[in-house]
Amino acid sequence: MSGANLTVTVGEGTCGIAAGAKDIATQLKKRLPDATFRTVGCVGMCHQEVLVEIEDDSASYLWGKVDKKNIIKIVKFHKGEAPAPEEFLVRSTEKGDLAGGQYLSRQTRIALRNVGQLNATNIEQYKERDGYKAISKILSDGLTPEDVIEEVKVANIRGRGGAGFPAATKWAFARGAEGEVKYLVCNGDEGDPGAFMDRSLLEGDPHNVLEGMLIAAYAIGASKGYAYIRAEYPLAVEHFGKAIEDAKAAGLLGDNILGSDFSFDIKIKQGAGAFVCGEETALLASIEGERGMPRIRPPFPAIKGLFGMPTIIQNVETLSNMPWIILNGGEAYANIGTETSNGTKVFALAGAIARGGLVEVPMGMTIRELLEDIGGGSSTKYPLKAVQLGGPSGGCIPASMFDTPIDYESINATGAIMGSGGLVVMDEKSCMVDIAKYFLEFTQLESCGKCTSCRVGTVRMREILTRICDGEGTMEDIDNLETLAEQIKSSSLCGLGQTAPNPVLTTLKYFRDEYIAHVKEQKCPAAVCKGLITHTIIQKDCTGCTLCKKYCPVDCIEGELKKPETWVIDQEVCINCGMCVEVCAPDCILVA
Amino acid sequence: MSHESLEATVDPAKVDAWIAELGSEPSAAVPLLQAIQTEYGYLPRPAMEMVIKNTQINASQLFGVATFYAQFRMNPVGRNMIKVCHGTACHVQGADRINTSLNHALGITDEEEDTAPNGSYTVEDVACIGCCSLAPLMIIGDQTFGNLKGSDAQRHLKKHAREHNEVLPGHAEQEKQKKKNKPGQQTAKA
C-alpha cells in the first residue's frame, strides 16, 4: 500500500512553515507516493504545529506535533502496519477531540470559517465554500448600497482593529460624502507585538478579505482600494496578490464586476514597519509616501482622507466578517455575543498557555473560559498571573479578574482595551514592571514625534521604569509615573499617545506591590529584572558537567570537570543573562 | 567599527528601472526605498541620490521617510541576516538571551554594533513576526527556528555557518583561548 486511498492535508501558514511543515510534506510525499496532497492555511492550533490531517475512505485523523520521528509511526498506521500513535492524535472522526481538548469545539468561527479548511490560493475552493456569493447576491438581487449599510447596521459590528467604532456608521458617512473618487483601505498593518490575526486571515483565506473589501467598497461607492499589509508578512502579501490576480481573471475585480456597473480595483501597499501606521490618518500619510504621522481630525477620513478624497479604513478582521453577514443576515450575526458587543472576536493566544494559537469566540465569553477551556491553562509549572490584552495600547488584567466577560465595555472598565486581539498570557515568572517597561520601550521607539507629550513623556516614563527595574527607583518615581501617564493620555493627538501609558497604569493598579518591592526591598519578586537578581550554583546539585561555562558569554563561571564543589559564578563579572540556567540539566543554578 | 568592504556597488540601470516601474511621484517613495533595500540589504547613498535627482521626491522627503520606518537601514549589512523577534510573547520567553548568545558567538561586543567584525552576519531585532506560539524565535536567511533557548540559537548559527563557509569570530576566538588555557583537557559531552 502506498496511500492511494488517502488524502493528506498539511497546514502551511507562516507558523506551520516555521515549524517545518515543508519538510514534513516532502517526507510524506516520499512515503505515501500515491496519496492526494492538499495544502491549507493555518487552522489556528499553533501549539500543535506541524499539523497534518490524513483522511482514508471512512475516517479522518488530525495529527499534531508531527516531526521526523513520529512521522514513521503515523505512516505505518495509515498503511495498516501498526496501531495508531495516539499521543499525537489531536482529533479523529471516531474519537473526537483528543489532544486539542475543546480547542475547536468551543469556538464560533465566522471570520476564520475557511482558514485551515481550504487552499488559500485556489479561488475555486473558496467558491465551493459559498465564496463570492455575497457580492453576487448584492449585485444580482439589486441590493442598493443603503441596503448593504442597513444590513451591517443590524449586525452591529464594531471595528475589530481596536477602537471598536461601529462599521455601519462610518460607511454611512463616506456614502454621503462628496468626492470624485472614494477609497477603501484595508488595514493589515498589524503592528501589535503578540498579535497575528490579520496575518492568518490574509494568508489563510485572502479571497474572503477581498470579498469583504468588495462589499464595503460597493456600500460606500469606492472605486479604488488599497490593501496595506505589513512587509513582515511576506506570505500574506503573496497570497493576497494571487487572490487579486485570480479575482480579476474571474471578473470579480476590475471594471463592471459580474456584468454590473460596479467597478473596483485593489493595489497592495506594503507597510515599512511603523506601529503608528495602524492609526488611520498615519496609514494614509504612509500610502501617500510621507512619514507615517497622524493628522488632526476633523476632517475625518470618511469626508477627506487619502489624497483628499473620502476614505474608509477598515481592519482585515472586520472585513472578513462581511461576506458572512450579507449571506446570513445582520440579525444572525447580532444574535451572537452580548447586547452591546455583537458577534465574535478573533484572538491570538500566546505566551505561557498550553494551547496557543488563533481562536474565534463569541463576545461575552469570560477570560477564564478562553484561557482554560480553549487554551488549556498554563503551559508551565507555575500558575497564571495575568493576561495582557491590546498590546502596547492595552493593559494587564490580573488572574483575580479572569471572570470578566470579553466585551468592549467590560474590558475597558478594567483599564485594558479589547484591542485588535493580541492576548499574551503570563505566569508567575513574569515581572509586571518589566512588562510595563517592555511596552514603554516599544511605544517610545514607535512614537512618531509629533506631539511633545508623547515624544518626550514616553522617554521620561521609560527612564523611570528602567531606574525601578535596576533597583534605583524611589517611591516618588511611582507617583511621577502616574502624573506623567495622565498628562500623556490627555495631550496626545492620536491613539498611540493616548493609550501608551495604559500598560503602566494597569500594572500600577493591579500589581503596585511589585513596583514597591522593586523600590523598597530592591527585589524583583518574579526574578526577572537583571539589576536585582543574582545567579549562584547550588554545588550539592551540580554534576560538574561544564555546560554552563561553555555557554557563558562573559566567562564568569569556573570549575573543574566532574568536581561539583569547585564550581562558582564570579558575581562581579556575571551579567545575569540566564544562559547558564537554560542549559543546566540538573537545574542547579539558583536565581534570586 | 566600519564595514567599508560591505558597501554595495549601485547599478544605475536598476534604479532607473525601479523608477520606471514604481513611478516618480511622491507617493512612490516607500516602494522605491523598499526596492532598493531588497536588492542591497540597505539604502546605499548613491541609490538615494539617483532617486532624488530623477523623481519628484525631494531629499527631505526621501531621507525623512527612510529614517522614519523601522524597515529601512542606512548601513551595510553582513553577508547573512539573522532576525530576532522581539514581540511580546518572545520577550517574556527570553528573546534577549538569543541576542546575548548570538552576539557572543559572533564576537559582537559593542552595543551599538549589529554586524560581526568579519562581516559574516548581521543580527537585527525585529518587531513581532506573528509566530507567537513558537516564541522565542529567529530567522537566519530564510529559515525560521522556534522555541529557542540561547544555546539552541548558537547551535543553529554554527550549523548555518558550516553550510555557508562562514567563520564565527566570537567562537573561533573562544576555542583558541580554551586550548591555550587547558591543554589536553576534554570538555564533557553536552
Side-chain angles (χ1 to χ4, degrees):
Chain A
M1 268 176 62
S2 52
N5 61 331
L6 301 176
T7 306
V8 181
T9 309
V10 183
E12 290 188 22
T14 294
C15 35
I17 293 174
K22 289 211 185 276
D23 275 351
I24 296 291
T26 314
Q27 294 231 0
L28 282 168
K29 276 176 199 165
K30 233 182 263 170
R31 290 170 198 275
L32 298 166
D34 296 329
T36 313
F37 278 83
R38 294 172 64 220
T39 304
V40 296
C42 167
V43 72
M45 301 175 98
C46 306
H47 61 284
Q48 290 284 355
E49 296 289 358
V50 175
L51 277 158
V52 177
E53 186 162 22
I54 302 183
E55 292 161 86
D56 59 24
D57 302 327
S58 57
S60 92
Y61 302 82
L62 183 64
W63 302 100
K65 297 188 178 163
V66 180
D67 58 25
K68 281 173 193 161
K69 288 180 204 148
N70 63 21
I71 200 169
I72 302 165
K73 290 185 187 167
I74 294 170
V75 169
K76 272 193 174 164
F77 163 68
H78 283 285
K79 286 181 171 174
E81 295 165 8
E86 285 200 3
E87 63 273 34
F88 305 108
L89 194 55
V90 177
R91 189 184 51 188
S92 74
T93 321
E94 188 190 335
K95 301 206 162 143
D97 288 325
L98 293 167
Q102 297 170 304
Y103 192 83
L104 291 171
S105 55
R106 284 296 301 269
Q107 296 189 40
T108 305
R109 289 166 81 102
I110 293 177
L112 290 175
R113 66 193 181 283
N114 296 327
V115 178
Q117 308 296 326
L118 49 70
N119 180 340
T121 51
N122 185 326
I123 190 171
E124 293 309 320
Q125 287 190 17
Y126 178 65
K127 282 184 176 170
E128 281 163 23
R129 297 177 66 93
D130 292 338
Y132 291 111
K133 274 201 184 145
I135 191 68
S136 312
K137 181 182 162 186
I138 290 171
L139 295 175
S140 62
D141 291 2
L143 262 70
T144 63
E146 285 74 18
D147 294 337
V148 175
I149 294 176
E150 184 55 32
E151 205 62 55
V152 175
K153 196 175 168 189
V154 171
N156 195 23
I157 178 170
R158 297 164 65 163
R160 296 291 189 245
F165 194 81
T169 313
K170 206 149 87 169
W171 293 12
F173 283 146
R175 176 86 211 144
E178 296 283 330
E180 303 158 39
V181 280
K182 291 182 189 173
Y183 291 99
L184 174 81
V185 177
C186 168
N187 184 351
D189 191 45
E190 190 170 49
D192 250 19
F196 50 94
M197 300 77 53
D198 297 351
R199 174 179 69 73
S200 277
L201 287 164
L202 287 163
E203 266 176 33
D205 197 10
H207 285 287
N208 186 33
V209 182
L210 201 155
E211 191 178 2
M213 286 182 77
L214 284 169
I215 295 166
Y218 178 79
I220 63 172
S223 56
K224 286 186 179 161
Y226 284 96
Y228 191 93
I229 306 174
R230 289 180 78 197
E232 288 92 337
Y233 290 171
L235 198 63
V237 172
E238 184 192 321
H239 285 187
F240 199 77
K242 175 84 166 51
I244 291 176
E245 258 173 51
D246 292 349
K248 271 188 190 159
L252 290 157
L253 198 61
D255 291 335
N256 304 99
I257 293 168
L258 296 172
S260 71
D261 54 8
F262 170 50
S263 299
F264 182 63
D265 205 357
I266 302 175
K267 266 193 197 165
I268 294 181
K269 277 271 175 182
Q270 288 195 44
F275 176 63
V276 67
C277 288
E279 199 278 343
E280 53 181 25
T281 57
L283 188 148
L284 298 181
S286 172
I287 295 181
E288 290 169 9
E290 300 287 332
R291 293 163 73 102
M293 293 166 99
R295 296 166 179 173
I296 293 171
R297 296 179 297 182
F300 286 92
I303 310 298
K304 198 162 177 277
L306 192 59
F307 304 113
M309 295 296 156
T311 306
I312 286 296
I313 299 111
Q314 206 82 63
N315 167 265
V316 171
E317 185 189 337
T318 320
L319 291 167
S320 297
N321 282 298
M322 294 306 166
W324 191 95
I325 290 173
I326 296 299
L327 282 180
N328 297 275
E331 216 179 303
Y333 191 82
N335 284 338
I336 304 167
T338 68
E339 202 142 301
T340 49
S341 301
N342 302 74
T344 58
K345 177 78 197 89
V346 181
F347 287 100
L349 272 181
I353 187 92
R355 297 195 287 263
L358 207 66
V359 300
E360 183 171 359
V361 296
M363 294 273 191
M365 178 180 268
T366 66
I367 297 174
R368 189 182 307 284
E369 288 173 295
L370 178 58
L371 294 181
E372 289 176 5
D373 297 350
I374 294 178
S378 172
S379 62
T380 66
K381 56 185 173 185
Y382 305 103
L384 297 182
K385 180 175 181 176
V387 292
Q388 210 286 344
L389 212 63
S393 308
C396 293
I397 301 176
S400 59
M401 293 172 76
F402 281 178
D403 287 318
T404 308
I406 299 168
D407 62 62
Y408 287 95
E409 285 70 25
S410 308
I411 297 291
N412 286 345
T414 66
I417 61 164
M418 178 78 80
S420 59
L423 199 155
V424 180
V425 185
M426 286 171 268
D427 66 8
E428 297 282 347
K429 284 283 150 195
S430 294
C431 168
M432 303 317 277
V433 188
D434 176 69
I435 291 294
K437 187 177 100 180
Y438 166 78
F439 282 116
L440 245 294
E441 278 172 359
F442 182 86
T443 34
Q444 188 248 310
L445 278 171
E446 294 293 340
S447 171
C448 76
K450 186 166 184 153
C451 309
T452 316
S453 56
C454 173
R455 181 182 68 241
V456 183
T458 51
V459 176
R460 294 288 99 88
M461 285 184 82
R462 176 186 175 167
E463 286 168 356
I464 296 178
L465 287 164
T466 307
R467 268 207 300 278
I468 297 177
C469 286
D470 288 344
E472 290 157 9
T474 61
M475 290 306 284
E476 200 192 339
D477 277 338
I478 299 182
D479 297 334
N480 284 342
L481 271 181
E482 272 172 336
T483 318
L484 267 170
E486 291 308 330
Q487 285 166 351
I488 296 170
K489 270 176 99 90
S490 57
S491 56
S492 298
L493 179 64
C494 83
L496 184 143
Q498 288 162 10
T499 59
N502 282 352
V504 176
L505 287 174
T506 52
T507 46
L508 271 173
K509 188 170 165 190
Y510 301 117
F511 300 96
R512 203 181 186 90
D513 52 332
E514 287 196 29
Y515 280 83
I516 295 173
H518 280 72
V519 172
K520 283 195 172 164
E521 297 163 43
Q522 311 271 302
K523 239 175 86 181
C524 175
V528 171
C529 294
K530 287 176 187 169
L532 295 174
I533 53 172
T534 53
H535 286 71
T536 35
I537 294 173
I538 309 167
Q539 291 176 340
K540 71 173 173 56
D541 298 334
C542 177
T543 58
C545 72
T546 79
L547 213 52
C548 52
K549 178 179 165 61
K550 186 177 165 202
Y551 283 103
C552 176
V554 290
D555 269 333
C556 73
I557 312 178
E558 281 301 333
E560 282 175 45
L561 182 65
K562 289 183 184 164
K563 286 185 184 161
E565 68 285 359
T566 60
W567 285 85
V568 280
I569 297 178
D570 183 348
Q571 298 299 333
E572 293 291 301
V573 186
C574 177
I575 53 168
N576 291 308
C577 68
M579 286 283 289
C580 51
V581 181
E582 277 186 354
V583 295
C584 181
D587 204 6
C588 75
I589 294 166
L590 180 72
V591 189
Chain B
M1 208 175 302
S2 68
H3 296 284
E4 275 124 25
S5 58
L6 298 171
E7 293 276 355
T9 315
V10 174
D11 177 0
K14 277 188 180 160
V15 182
D16 282 336
W18 291 321
I19 296 172
E21 186 198 334
L22 300 165
S24 58
E25 63 277 14
S27 68
V30 175
L32 279 171
L33 292 174
Q34 283 171 331
I36 296 170
Q37 175 139 329
T38 306
E39 178 74 18
Y40 301 111
Y42 76 109
L43 301 173
R45 188 83 182 209
M48 300 278 281
E49 277 160 11
M50 275 195 73
V51 170
I52 294 161
K53 212 172 123 199
N54 299 332
T55 66
Q56 298 159 38
I57 305 163
N58 58 34
S60 90
Q61 188 200 344
L62 197 70
F63 278 89
V65 168
T67 51
F68 182 86
Y69 294 97
Q71 187 188 9
F72 302 124
R73 53 179 291 145
M74 314 298 280
N75 300 318
V77 288
R79 291 181 289 278
N80 304 279
M81 283 300 286
I82 306 178
K83 291 178 180 172
V84 181
C85 180
H86 280 265
T88 317
C90 289
H91 173 77
V92 296
Q93 287 175 83
D96 277 346
R97 265 197 294 284
I98 299 185
N99 288 84
T100 310
S101 172
L102 293 173
N103 287 351
H104 179 41
L106 291 169
I108 302 174
T109 46
D110 184 351
E111 259 187 35
E112 299 292 305
E113 190 58 59
D114 61 2
T115 302
N118 66 352
S120 55
Y121 289 87
T122 293
V123 182
E124 195 178 56
D125 290 355
V126 293
C128 189
I129 36 184
C131 297
C132 307
S133 298
L134 296 169
L137 68 114
M138 65 169 182
I139 303 175
I140 306 183
D142 54 5
Q143 266 182 299
T144 309
F145 303 95
N147 297 318
L148 293 174
K149 286 181 185 174
S151 49
D152 299 328
Q154 273 191 20
R155 191 163 42 83
H156 293 304
L157 173 62
K158 279 186 202 162
K159 185 161 177 258
H160 188 274
R162 267 200 308 278
E163 287 166 3
H164 293 78
N165 291 320
E166 293 287 1
V167 175
L168 300 177
H171 256 278
E173 203 51 42
Q174 206 194 7
E175 297 298 318
K176 230 187 289 166
Q177 207 68 31
K178 248 185 211 160
K179 272 181 197 150
K180 212 165 56 186
N181 289 348
K182 289 167 195 163
Q185 190 185 344
Q186 278 193 333
T187 36
K189 219 177 150 200

